[in-house]
């Protein structure tokens, strides 16, 4: 496969405010990206890929028009919460196939936008909201591995604390473990701080072929591994709620493609839609043993180690669905370049992006490195 | 680029009836495809790409679940009327990049679905419906090249006649030129028969890498050229309404990639959303000289030559937005294999697919050959 790099990143603030227009939201992220990347001429952008759950049509062409780009390829890509990395992998494939050299991937969603509930999955009955499947995962995981509430509560405590160093994060709080445990009851298994929350935000990045990457920057960040897997579309088809099969398979594939092992990973952006998904992802990616993910998160919290979800994860940064995967990859890009400011993870040179959809029925894993 | 082939095709009937469920519509086309392709095991399908304007989320994973497929990649792709070929090119790029060997591309839209009007383009004022921009193209083209009503009327007469040999076509009429000219007035420049009509339908095809194609069939049809271009998203930015710039650029790119010239083309599926777009496409693709496309269509009609839009085009077959590009590529696949039944174009070995979006502000052109 031809080598593909991330060479630039831009983003809006993530907020709980409604976005009156999704096209202007996309434009704001693309404009921030262009401002961060004076070496990039808009005429060099050959493909514009928009990841979103918004119902607007032709958004990639509209963003192109607004941003003064005249691309060959323009299209929207949707796979619910995993739209962002789905669009990134599409961009990688266009470049690897030789169909484009420079690709803009821009994600955007609004706090009140569609895609937050999978109406199709009627097996959930009246329990359609994601908090219900997250509850079942939480109950199963805690029961099987005898996990204490305090350990899981370290996930939001850590990720809100990390978010406090991310000026674009949605979070404005820094709860201690006790605050998490005493926050409002959402279900029998989840408290308010266990939940990521929809928000409004847009992030954009530039992917480039090796030749174009060398022209645009002296510090490209290569996407060396790509793994994807959809195991089902129905939550209730997951037979074992103490692991994420789609993540296990996607992770294995991504590490194999990159010829990397979990031990070599310095920094991770993973899909903590709810507290329990951080340990489940750590275990699925091979970064912690089965049942050991919660202890790992708690230990990271105690040691003030921000190498997992340095931008605050979905819980701290907010979760603007189609934006999330793009923002995650942007964070790993900044970390590996050494441009992550106050939240810089020391000597980060190999990073992982982990993004899932719809009750973790599908996963995408990317390996990125300097 | 690694070679990519179309190796199988399936479709539903195209109808003017509402589709109660888009997921079942997709499943019907995928099932027809699998029935047509006993050599294909569903476990071999590594990517499922859905092209649609429907607002449902996670459709590619849902189709996978319904069809018994467990893919690595699953996502929806939208670019209004050009969604179908956008999804095909995405599938081509996944295979060419080595990220998948076997890709299912399934398009579906319903007669009353979204995507028929580009709300964003406020420059059209109250004239938002496509008939108004088609009117302006028609007026400009006729004026510049002194085209008679009878010549343009040959387009729907020909394409409805072609559709009569396509058992899946929506059309149930076979108007003569006089019938076209006497059909109901839609605008000062368009009559009812000049217009393609939204309909309900789904089509699906299988793309395969060279190795997988050889395993699955002894008659793969190769996609040897891919061209795409978005010139704008706003209709009124088109300065010259007597040609389609996006088609000219996409066509040039596709022919160059395939090392083919327009003279070598045996069969064409082009985007006749309205009568005038057949000559504009023929000219844009270099199949007719500027201003000569209408004469060419009229001549094809007189000579009972069905090599342009053999399945009936959008006017005859119907236009289920996201399905159209997939159905067009499926027709060229059947034609080049010699499987097009009563509508077989003799000795077809090089074919073209031409699919546009949103007042022809973007175009995709594919070259396919045996």
């Amino acid at each position: 496969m031809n080598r593909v790099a991330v060479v630039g990143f831009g983003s809006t603030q993530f907020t709980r405010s409604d976005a009156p227009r999704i096209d202007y939201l996309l434009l704001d992220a693309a404009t921030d990206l262009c401002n961060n990347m004076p070496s990039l001429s808009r005429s060099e952008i050959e493909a514009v890929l928009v990841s979103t759950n918004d119902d607007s049509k032709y958004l990639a062409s509209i963003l192109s028009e607004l941003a003064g780009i005249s691309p060959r390829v323009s299209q929207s890509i949707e796979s619910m919460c995993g739209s962002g990395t789905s669009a990134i992998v599409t961009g990688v494939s266009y470049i690897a196939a030789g169909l484009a050299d420079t690709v803009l991937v821009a994600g955007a969603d609004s706090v009140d936008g569609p895609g937050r509930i999978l109406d199709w999955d009627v097996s959930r009955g009246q329990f359609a909201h994601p908090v219900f499947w997250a509850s079942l995962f939480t109950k199963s995981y805690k029961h099987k591995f005898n996990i204490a509430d305090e350990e899981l509560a370290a996930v939001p405590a850590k990720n809100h604390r990390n978010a406090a160093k991310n000026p674009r994060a949605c979070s404005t709080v820094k709860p201690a473990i006790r605050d998490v445990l005493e926050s409002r009851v959402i279900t029998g298994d989840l408290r308010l701080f266990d939940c990521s929350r929809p928000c409004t935000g847009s992030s954009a990045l530039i992917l480039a072929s090796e030749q174009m990457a060398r022209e645009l920057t002296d510090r490209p960040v290569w996407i060396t591994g790509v793994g994807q897997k959809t195991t089902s579309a129905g939550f209730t088809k997951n037979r074992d709620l103490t692991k994420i099969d789609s993540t296990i398979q996607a992770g294995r594939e991504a590490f194999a493609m990159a010829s990397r092992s979990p031990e070599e990973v310095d920094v991770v952006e993973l899909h903590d839609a709810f507290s329990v998904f951080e340990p489940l992802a750590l275990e699925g990616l091979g970064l912690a043993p089965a049942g050991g993910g919660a202890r790992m998160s708690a230990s990271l919290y105690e040691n003030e180690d921000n190498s997992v979800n340095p931008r605050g994860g979905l819980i701290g940064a907010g979760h603007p669905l189609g934006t999330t995967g793009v923002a995650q990859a942007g964070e790993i890009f900044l970390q590996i370049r050494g441009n992550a400011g106050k939240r810089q993870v020391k000597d980060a040179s190999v990073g992982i992006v982990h993004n899932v959809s719809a009750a973790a029925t599908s996963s995408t894993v990317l390996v990125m490195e300097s």
Side-chain angles (χ1 to χ4, degrees), chain A:
Chain A
M1 198 177 87
N2 295 327
R3 294 183 84 191
V4 180
V6 181
V7 295
F9 178 64
S11 188
T12 68
Q13 182 71 39
F14 287 10
T15 74
R16 292 280 294 167
S17 309
D18 186 18
R21 292 191 56 158
I22 198 87
D23 50 355
Y24 287 178
L25 187 66
L26 284 160
L27 179 63
D28 285 346
T31 301
D32 184 58
L33 183 151
C34 289
N35 290 342
N36 294 341
M37 243 193 120
S39 61
L40 176 71
S41 159
R42 293 175 194 217
S43 64
E44 287 168 334
I45 299 173
E46 292 180 302
V48 175
L49 306 177
V50 166
S51 62
T52 187
N53 289 265
D54 194 87
D55 291 336
S56 303
K57 307 306 169 195
Y58 214 44
L59 269 176
S61 297
I62 289 167
L63 170 59
S64 301
E65 179 83 19
L66 291 172
I69 301 165
S70 176
R72 289 160 56 232
V73 180
S74 65
Q75 65 196 34
S76 294
I77 290 160
E78 181 276 318
S79 181
M80 294 191 82
C81 304
S83 302
T85 48
S86 293
I88 290 172
V89 177
T90 299
V92 166
S93 75
Y94 269 97
I95 293 170
L99 289 171
D101 281 310
T102 312
V103 176
L104 171 65
V105 179
D109 265 309
S110 181
V111 61
D112 61 351
R116 287 168 292 158
I117 288 171
L118 182 54
D119 295 323
W120 177 84
D121 191 0
V122 294
S123 70
R124 299 182 202 172
Q126 291 170 25
F127 303 98
H129 194 280
V131 294
F132 297 112
W133 52 254
S135 274
L136 292 182
F137 269 106
T138 303
K139 194 187 291 293
S140 302
Y141 179 73
K142 284 171 66 179
H143 177 73
K144 176 165 181 182
F145 296 114
N146 198 23
I147 306 291
D149 287 345
E150 287 71 15
E151 281 178 310
L152 274 189
V155 174
K158 171 176 77 65
N159 292 349
H160 279 286
R161 186 175 67 192
N162 290 352
K165 293 183 180 169
N166 173 5
R168 256 89 183 239
C170 194
S171 170
T172 55
V173 295
K174 227 162 105 175
I177 286 181
R178 173 155 305 278
D179 300 321
V180 174
L181 294 174
E182 291 177 356
S183 64
R184 183 155 64 84
V185 169
I186 302 295
T187 70
D189 307 285
L190 298 176
R191 301 247 169 194
L192 181 66
F193 281 131
D194 287 310
C195 310
S196 68
R197 298 176 76 184
C199 71
T200 296
S202 179
S203 298
L205 50 78
I206 293 283
L207 302 173
S209 64
E210 179 154 16
Q211 188 189 332
M212 188 56 75
R214 303 282 183 207
E215 288 179 27
L216 290 171
T217 179
D218 54 358
R219 285 179 297 158
V221 174
W222 305 100
I223 297 178
T224 54
V226 172
Q228 295 188 285
K229 185 65 194 176
T230 293
T231 49
S232 73
F235 162 65
T236 39
K237 209 178 161 190
N238 287 299
R239 293 207 171 77
D240 183 343
L241 299 176
T242 65
K243 60 188 177 69
I244 312 177
D245 281 333
S246 63
T247 293
I248 293 169
Q249 294 181 59
R252 201 176 287 150
E253 184 180 303
F255 279 117
M257 185 189 288
S259 300
R260 289 286 182 188
S261 67
E263 295 71 36
E264 296 176 282
V265 173
D266 303 308
V267 58
V268 181
E269 277 286 322
L270 60 77
H271 197 102
D272 58 325
F274 299 91
S275 294
V276 72
F277 285 99
E278 182 163 304
L280 286 173
L282 290 169
E283 296 168 26
L285 293 166
L287 299 165
R295 182 85 287 275
M296 180 175 170
S297 289
S299 167
L300 292 167
Y301 176 64
E302 287 153 20
N303 297 319
E304 305 207 10
D305 180 334
N306 74 335
S307 60
V308 172
N309 283 328
R311 77 187 174 103
L314 283 60
I315 287 176
H319 183 27
L321 310 193
T323 308
T324 286
V326 182
Q328 290 177 310
E331 177 69 11
I332 298 298
F333 167 75
L334 295 175
Q335 290 286 347
I336 291 177
R337 303 242 297 192
N339 291 150
K342 286 184 191 171
R343 61 187 191 280
Q344 182 65 47
V345 174
K346 198 160 169 279
D347 298 330
S349 72
V350 177
I352 294 287
V353 172
H354 166 260
N355 187 201
V356 311
S357 271
T361 53
S362 64
S363 295
T364 298
V365 177
L366 307 177
V367 179
M368 295 169 63
E369 50 193 302
S370 52

